[in-house]
């Protein structure tokens, strides 16, 4: 194999791998958002746990309700993080396999395609969990009607 052909072939492989690399950048941004949400939920849970001991019975009941919801949110965000990281790892595998296939002349195009589809499926489920967690958080942050009515009196 002449050197110029090898450089050209590698350059073409790099071009092929650009789409998965851009996908990795997007997944990184999603992971950043998910990690931030997880941190905020954990901080809120710790805050409520510390308030729970000295609270009145009505406050404890409200704190327990919110803590259950926060526990659900933690589980959902954790699962979303796991799936998005798995998507990133499989995307990296796609990029590596593109180079391995080119360097070794292995006909593994179908395998690369299946792994890329798996990466997309993992990302889709991770994003679906993200929207579920967002909807759950919106349910928790609604202004309670009794507080609105109390201020009006």
């Amino acid at each position: 194999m002449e050197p110029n052909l090898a450089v050209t072939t590698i350059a073409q492989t790099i071009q092929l791998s650009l789409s998965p690399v851009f996908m990795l950048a997007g997944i990184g941004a999603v992971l950043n958002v998910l990690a931030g949400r997880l941190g905020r939920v954990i901080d809120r849970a710790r805050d409520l746990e510390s308030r729970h001991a000295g609270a009145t019975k009505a406050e404890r009941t409200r704190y327990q309700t919110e803590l259950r919801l926060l526990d659900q949110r933690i589980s959902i965000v954790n699962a979303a993080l796991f799936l998005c990281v798995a998507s990133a790892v499989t995307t990296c595998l796609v990029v590596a396999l593109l180079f391995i296939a080119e360097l070794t002349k292995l006909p593994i195009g179908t395998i690369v395609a299946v792994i890329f589809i798996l990466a997309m499926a993992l990302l889709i489920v991770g994003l679906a969990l993200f929207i579920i967690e967002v909807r759950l958080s919106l349910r928790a942050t609604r202004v309670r009607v009794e507080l609105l009515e109390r201020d009006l009196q």
Side-chain angles (χ1 to χ4, degrees):
M1 182 181 296
E2 58 184 78
N4 287 339
L5 183 60
V7 170
T8 304
T9 303
I10 294 300
Q12 290 171 344
T13 306
I14 290 171
Q15 287 175 343
L16 280 175
S17 68
L18 281 180
S19 292
V21 170
F22 281 122
M23 185 172 140
L24 280 173
I27 293 171
V30 170
L31 288 173
N32 190 31
V33 169
L34 288 170
R37 289 186 74 84
L38 181 61
R40 292 180 72 193
V41 172
I42 289 171
D43 289 345
R44 176 68 179 154
R46 286 181 180 156
D47 179 52
L48 288 178
E49 287 172 347
S50 67
R51 291 181 187 190
H52 188 270
T56 66
K57 185 174 180 173
E59 288 173 329
R60 278 197 305 269
T61 302
R62 198 175 83 240
Y63 292 162
Q64 287 170 339
T65 302
E66 190 173 344
L67 282 167
R68 280 189 204 94
L69 192 60
L70 290 171
D71 187 55
Q72 279 184 298
R73 288 180 60 198
I74 288 169
S75 295
I76 292 169
V77 172
N78 190 38
L81 273 165
F82 174 81
L83 290 168
C84 289
V85 167
S87 176
V89 169
T90 53
T91 303
C92 290
L93 184 60
V94 165
V95 173
L97 286 174
L98 286 171
F99 282 94
I100 290 169
E102 190 56 49
L103 293 173
T104 62
K105 303 297 181 201
L106 288 174
I108 57 173
T110 303
I111 294 170
V112 171
V114 168
I115 293 173
F116 187 74
I117 291 167
L118 175 63
M120 291 302 292
L122 290 167
L123 183 59
I124 289 167
V125 177
L127 290 172
L129 286 175
F130 173 58
I131 197 65
I132 289 169
E133 190 275 331
V134 168
R135 300 282 300 176
L136 198 57
S137 72
L138 289 175
R139 225 181 351 175
T141 56
R142 289 195 178 153
V143 177
R144 293 190 317 273
V145 176
E146 67 269 15
L147 293 178
L148 292 174
E149 290 172 355
R150 190 181 312 151
D151 290 340
L152 293 174
Q153 295 174 356

